Amino acid sequence: LGEPLPAGAPLDPLVSLFLRREQRQQRRERDSSLAQRLRRFLRRKFFLFRRSALMTLIALRNLALGRPAPERLAQEVAFASWRGEEEEARPETDGGAPRGPEL
């Protein structure tokens, strides 16, 4: 980890795919405008705050009312951890305007 491979060593296909994605992501972030950087920063902070608040509320409820069934708790944690990945993967066709969740 973190050390270069010896010369002539074959690179695992999954590792090379991961490295290409990381380089593409770094290039995209470096070439993005100030508005895009600000939007990405605010989005990260929003989801961090959202998850923290929801997990705190779940913990307080569990202290007051007892622990719910493991299935329900897993659903609640999954909901709290949601970060809108399907919106990130979707191509932006409307000029970059954020879209709400579709019901």
Side-chain angles (χ1 to χ4, degrees):
L1 293 175
E3 295 179 11
L5 288 174
L11 194 59
D12 184 67
L14 289 176
V15 172
S16 63
L17 177 65
F18 174 75
L19 290 174
R20 280 195 306 266
R21 283 186 183 169
E22 285 296 310
Q23 289 171 350
R24 192 175 19 209
Q25 179 69 21
Q26 287 175 355
R27 195 174 324 125
R28 188 178 315 131
E29 288 178 6
R30 187 179 53 233
D31 297 341
S32 62
S33 69
L34 181 62
Q36 290 171 329
R37 289 180 188 186
L38 180 63
R39 180 176 178 256
R40 192 168 38 248
F41 172 79
L42 292 175
R43 180 181 174 83
R44 286 181 189 148
K45 294 305 173 185
F46 169 76
F47 282 110
L48 178 69
F49 178 76
R50 176 186 178 273
R51 185 176 192 280
S52 298
L54 288 173
M55 294 297 274
T56 300
L57 291 174
I58 290 170
L60 291 174
R61 191 226 31 225
N62 291 349
L63 285 172
L65 303 176
R67 208 167 119 195
E71 297 83 22
R72 178 169 177 185
L73 190 58
Q75 288 176 338
E76 291 171 350
V77 170
F79 176 74
S81 299
W82 178 76
R83 293 181 43 149
E85 281 86 11
E86 59 271 5
E87 287 183 18
E88 276 294 315
R90 212 175 359 191
E92 296 181 10
T93 56
D94 57 352
R99 292 181 229 173
E102 296 175 7
L103 299 175

